[in-house]
């Protein structure tokens, strides 16, 4: 890795721009308050000898360019012009043909004739031009050096000098064994793109629950013909292309994208189906708009109806053999350290870091069901699992029972997971406005339908994650918690805040305890504000009914919290040890995203996203009162060495400096803005 200009243990005085110490909300300088007064005001009680004057900035954590090392201020500039999708696509195509983008096949083999597309390839085939513009190799070793087979990036690897002999040798026929699983099969992806994949288990369960509804194609036909549909069984199509039940009835369903005309089934089959049927009498077949396999699309209506009857007979006869929810394989979460699913930062390399530091249970980032059912590769990447994750689950989010049931069936077929978690607590507006996440807390009957449909479709444990309620002062979960187990959920994680509170107040653990006592047969996990082993011990001792606790933001800021809990100590970690953790993340990131130019910059991006949280950690040796609390706002302070001071900076320009210590200089024109603007301390927002 690149040498750092900051020597560990060295002390240096940083320039300051403000003539007076930073005051608190009452206008009194921090230096004049006692530790007890600071704690009462939620200000971190940093020892006075480490306090410093804060830097003044015109902007804070905006999009920043590469830092100017001759200035103490970050060079912050806002992005003004936003390019259109067409312009971005045109630029991508032009960039692909440039010398900087060598064909992957040629890069791997070093032979121009190895590309199967020849002149039709959209990448460059000029090896000499690629080498002429390629930046210097990064310091360190190729992350694939110790694995079997050659580096998959060959000439494009930013560590080419460490494996040049391997590339030159005859290893073109060797394949590197991947330590990651849960990739989407290409054939299945194509069927998802064409909306031609069957979900027999999900549809059978939905039918038994009376949740199968008419397809969008049929509704559009009814509308064109002027048919009058009974209001109790009608669906209104929303702008997002999804049909929604009127009055919030139990048959609400998020339908699949409309099937192109050339892929539609025989129209004569559609006409044979009655316009209106009772929910329990709806027959699932190719005529109802359900997706079918490509080879089955040519079947006649009579053949399809015969198969449907056979399926119905099998379903009826198998009822006695069906596994009862209580007999399913369960996961015992008691005493296990559970790393929460974390959007953006909770990626596979980050989870590997947490596993090394002591996490027992890991869960993938939240994935949207509609995107998974559409076969989006970027969404399926969120389900990837590393071999070190021995107890692993995926988290999905959706609004309707049929969407979630089909998603869990698809995941069960394509992925290796230990449990599937359904997010019913996400407070993000774009999720809530679609009827998913926290919005489900206002629809308990929809929650019931979702849990029953998903748990009845697959044998894997189904867990859910909720908040205490939607609006502040209107807690709803305690009235449902006793029934959730009978609906089919194996465990429930309760975040001790409402959707309206977001992160503006401390988590209500008394309410979590109350819920745990109401459902002694159900595994209840608490979540919120766990930041030390004392917090963990307190919740486990105060409520024996509580199965375990999930750790989220505490692990973002200091992932070694798992080590602290297992070793029952406050770890006064040094800046060098923290840098080693970041080095591990970079190594894991290069393995996951690649060691070529794109992989290096992707790793840098996610490293910077993580650093937008880690700067909030205050070393134990600098505090008058320990442990640090999540709601404490740190004053401006010096670290015990330059690196520790740099790691405490809230400037994105300084985060870029740290990334350059690990991944070399940033490219020309590099910019960065944290994805989560309210990454530090969220204000109260009414949802």
């Amino acid at each position: 890795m690149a040498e750092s200009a900051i020597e560990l243990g060295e002390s240096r005085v940083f320039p300051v721009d403000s003539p007076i110490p930073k005051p608190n909300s009452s206008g009194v300088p921090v230096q004049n308050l006692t530790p007890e007064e600071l704690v009462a005001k939620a200000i971190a009680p940093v020892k006075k000898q480490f306090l410093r004057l804060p830097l003044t900035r015109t902007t804070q954590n905006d999009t920043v360019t590469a830092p100017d090392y001759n200035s103490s201020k970050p060079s912050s500039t806002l992005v003004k012009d936003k390019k259109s999708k067409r312009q971005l696509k045109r630029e991508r195509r032009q960039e692909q043909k440039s010398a900087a983008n060598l064909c992957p096949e040629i890069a791997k083999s070093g032979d121009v004739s190895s590309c199967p597309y020849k002149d039709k390839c959209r990448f460059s085939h000029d090896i000499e031009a690629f080498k002429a513009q390629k930046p210097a190799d990064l310091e360190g070793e190729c992350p694939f050096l110790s694995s079997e087979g050659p580096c998959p990036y060959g000439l494009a690897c930013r560590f080419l000098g460490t494996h040049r002999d391997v590339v030159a040798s005859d290893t073109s026929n060797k394949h590197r064994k991947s330590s990651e699983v849960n990739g989407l099969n290409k054939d299945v992806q194509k069927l998802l793109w064409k909306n031609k994949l069957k979900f027999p288990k999900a549809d059978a369960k939905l039918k038994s629950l009376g949740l199968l509804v008419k397809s969008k194609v049929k509704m559009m036909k009814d509308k064109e013909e002027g048919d009058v549909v009974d209001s109790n069984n009608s669906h209104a199509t929303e702008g997002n292309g999804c049909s929604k039940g009127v009055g919030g009835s139990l048959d609400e369903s998020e339908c699949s994208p409309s099937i192109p005309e050339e892929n539609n089934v025989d129209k004569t089959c559609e006409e044979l189906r009655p316009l209106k049927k009772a929910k329990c009498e709806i027959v699932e077949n190719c005529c109802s708009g359900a997706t079918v396999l490509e080879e089955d699309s040519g079947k006649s209506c009579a053949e399809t109806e015969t198969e449907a009857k056979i399926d119905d007979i099998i379903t009826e006869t198998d009822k006695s053999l069906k596994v009862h929810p209580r007999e399913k394989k369960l996961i015992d979460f008691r005493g296990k350290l559970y790393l929460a699913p974390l959007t953006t930062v909770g990626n596979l390399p980050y989870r590997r870091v947490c596993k090394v530091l002591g996490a027992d249970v890991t869960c993938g980032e939240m994935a949207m069901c509609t995107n998974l059912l559409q076969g989006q590769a970027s969404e399926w990447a969120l389900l990837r699992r590393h071999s070190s994750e021995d107890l692993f689950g995926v988290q999905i989010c959706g609004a309707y029972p049929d969407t979630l049931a089909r998603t869990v069936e698809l995941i069960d077929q394509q992925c290796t997971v230990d449990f599937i978690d359904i997010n019913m607590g996400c407070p993000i507006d774009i999720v809530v406005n679609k009827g998913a996440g926290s919005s489900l807390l206002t629809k308990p009957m929809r929650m019931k339908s979702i849990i029953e449909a998903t748990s009845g479709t697959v044998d894997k444990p189904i867990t859910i994650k909720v908040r205490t309620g939607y609006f502040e002062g209107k807690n709803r979960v305690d009235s449902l918690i006793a029934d959730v187990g009978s609906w089919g959920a194996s465990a429930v994680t309760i975040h001790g805040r409402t959707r309206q509170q977001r992160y503006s107040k401390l988590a209500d653990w008394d309410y979590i305890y109350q819920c745990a006592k109401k459902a002694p047969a159900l595994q209840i996990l608490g979540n919120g504000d766990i930041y030390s082993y004392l917090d963990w011990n307190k919740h486990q001792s105060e409520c024996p009914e509580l199965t375990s606790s999930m750790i989220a933001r505490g692990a973002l800021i200091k992932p070694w919290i798992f080590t602290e809990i297992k070793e029952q100590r406050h770890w006064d970690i040094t800046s060098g040890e923290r840098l080693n953790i970041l080095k591990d993340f970079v190594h894991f990131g290069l393995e996951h995203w690649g060691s070529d130019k794109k992989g290096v910059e992707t790793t840098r991006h996610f490293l910077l996203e993580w650093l937008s949280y880690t700067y909030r950690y205050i070393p134990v040796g600098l505090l008058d009162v320990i442990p640090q609390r999540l709601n404490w706002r740190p004053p401006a302070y010096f670290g015990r060495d330059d690196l520790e001071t740099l790691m405490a900076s809230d400037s994105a320009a300084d985060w870029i400096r740290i990334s350059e210590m690990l991944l070399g200089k940033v490219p020309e024109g590099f910019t960065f803005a944290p994805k989560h603007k309210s990454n530090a301390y969220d204000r109260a927002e009414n949802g």
Side-chain angles (χ1 to χ4, degrees), residues 452-463:
E452 287 180 339
T454 53
S455 63
T457 300
V458 296
D459 293 334
K460 288 185 172 60
I462 298 295
T463 65

Side-chain angles (χ1 to χ4, degrees), residues 492-621:
V492 179
T493 301
I494 303 175
H495 184 177
R497 296 180 179 89
T498 63
R499 189 258 173 174
Q500 188 181 22
Q501 289 172 344
R502 301 290 179 98
Y503 296 92
S504 60
K505 294 184 179 180
L506 293 176
D508 187 355
W509 278 89
D510 290 334
Y511 183 79
I512 297 175
Y513 299 159
Q514 176 186 342
C515 293
K517 293 174 182 177
K518 283 190 175 183
L522 182 66
Q523 294 192 83
I524 304 294
L525 295 86
N527 173 226
D529 301 336
I530 297 179
Y531 201 40
S532 69
Y533 78 92
L534 296 178
D535 295 331
W536 171 275
N537 294 347
K538 176 184 177 183
H539 302 319
Q540 298 303 122
S541 61
E542 289 186 354
C543 184
E545 294 84 359
L546 194 68
T547 304
S548 186
S549 297
M550 179 184 285
I551 305 174
R553 285 187 301 162
L556 282 177
I557 300 171
K558 59 169 191 178
W560 54 91
I561 185 175
F562 302 107
T563 304
E564 291 186 340
I565 294 173
K566 288 192 171 182
E567 297 181 1
Q568 293 289 292
R569 67 183 177 101
H570 298 299
W571 185 0
D572 188 9
I573 189 170
T574 65
S575 59
E577 290 171 321
R578 292 168 65 185
L579 186 64
N580 288 334
I581 293 175
L582 298 179
K583 287 180 180 179
D584 287 341
F585 174 83
V586 167
H587 180 78
F588 298 153
L590 294 174
E591 282 187 355
H592 180 61
W593 291 300
S595 58
D596 60 344
K597 176 183 175 181
K598 182 179 178 181
V600 169
E601 294 311 312
T602 302
T603 302
R604 188 193 305 276
H605 169 78
F606 285 104
L607 173 63
L608 291 171
E609 289 285 359
W610 187 20
L611 290 174
S612 71
Y613 288 93
T614 58
Y615 82 89
R616 295 171 54 189
Y617 171 73
I618 304 174
V620 174

Side-chain angles (χ1 to χ4, degrees), residues 12-24:
R12 179 160 59 93
V13 177
F14 280 68
V16 295
D17 298 330
S18 179
I20 58 174
K22 184 177 181 180
N24 54 44

Side-chain angles (χ1 to χ4, degrees), residues 379-390:
E379 206 74 14
W380 278 90
L382 303 178
L383 309 184
R384 299 285 290 178
R385 174 184 188 172
H386 191 263
S387 58
S388 64
E389 298 180 271
D390 49 356

Side-chain angles (χ1 to χ4, degrees), residues 333-581:
F333 289 100
R334 185 166 297 279
K336 292 184 172 62
L337 303 183
Y338 190 163
L339 172 64
L342 302 163
T343 303
T344 304
V345 185
N347 45 65
L348 185 145
Y350 169 79
R351 297 197 305 270
R352 288 184 65 183
V353 169
C354 291
K355 283 296 296 182
V356 171
L357 293 171
D360 297 317
V361 184
T362 54
C363 189
E365 301 173 64
M366 182 183 74
M368 300 303 296
C369 291
T370 51
N371 296 341
L372 293 174
L373 292 176
Q374 291 170 6
Q376 293 185 15
S378 59
E379 206 74 14
W380 278 90
L382 303 178
L383 309 184
R384 299 285 290 178
R385 174 184 188 172
H386 191 263
S387 58
S388 64
E389 298 180 271
D390 49 356
L391 190 51
F392 174 77
V394 295
Q395 187 182 72
I396 58 177
C397 184
Y400 302 102
D402 62 338
T403 310
L404 283 149
R406 289 163 183 164
T407 302
V408 298
E409 180 178 354
L410 185 59
I411 291 174
D412 187 48
Q413 293 174 351
Q414 298 296 315
C415 301
T416 304
V417 298
D418 298 300
F419 63 94
I420 300 174
D421 187 66
I422 301 175
N423 189 313
M424 297 184 178
C426 180
I428 301 174
D429 293 339
I430 193 173
V431 174
V432 172
N433 293 340
K434 291 183 178 179
S438 295
S439 178
L440 293 171
L441 297 174
T442 63
K443 303 177 179 68
M445 298 308 294
R446 179 98 62 87
M447 290 177 61
K448 177 183 178 181
S449 300
I450 288 174
I451 296 173
E452 287 180 339
T454 53
S455 63
T457 300
V458 296
D459 293 334
K460 288 185 172 60
I462 298 295
T463 65
I464 64 173
K465 187 173 186 290
V466 298
R467 288 193 170 222
T468 59
Y470 192 88
F471 293 107
E472 189 173 355
K474 296 182 181 179
N475 294 329
R476 302 178 60 93
V477 176
D478 62 319
S479 61
L480 306 172
I481 199 69
D483 299 323
V484 171
S486 61
W487 295 344
S490 299
V492 179
T493 301
I494 303 175
H495 184 177
R497 296 180 179 89
T498 63
R499 189 258 173 174
Q500 188 181 22
Q501 289 172 344
R502 301 290 179 98
Y503 296 92
S504 60
K505 294 184 179 180
L506 293 176
D508 187 355
W509 278 89
D510 290 334
Y511 183 79
I512 297 175
Y513 299 159
Q514 176 186 342
C515 293
K517 293 174 182 177
K518 283 190 175 183
L522 182 66
Q523 294 192 83
I524 304 294
L525 295 86
N527 173 226
D529 301 336
I530 297 179
Y531 201 40
S532 69
Y533 78 92
L534 296 178
D535 295 331
W536 171 275
N537 294 347
K538 176 184 177 183
H539 302 319
Q540 298 303 122
S541 61
E542 289 186 354
C543 184
E545 294 84 359
L546 194 68
T547 304
S548 186
S549 297
M550 179 184 285
I551 305 174
R553 285 187 301 162
L556 282 177
I557 300 171
K558 59 169 191 178
W560 54 91
I561 185 175
F562 302 107
T563 304
E564 291 186 340
I565 294 173
K566 288 192 171 182
E567 297 181 1
Q568 293 289 292
R569 67 183 177 101
H570 298 299
W571 185 0
D572 188 9
I573 189 170
T574 65
S575 59
E577 290 171 321
R578 292 168 65 185
L579 186 64
N580 288 334
I581 293 175

Side-chain angles (χ1 to χ4, degrees), residues 222-247:
D222 289 346
K223 185 176 180 181
E224 291 175 358
E225 295 177 356
D227 295 324
V228 180
V229 185
D230 182 56
S231 61
N232 292 329
N233 198 30
S234 65
H235 285 68
T237 304
E238 297 180 338
N240 59 2
C242 302
S243 56
K244 186 176 181 182
V246 177

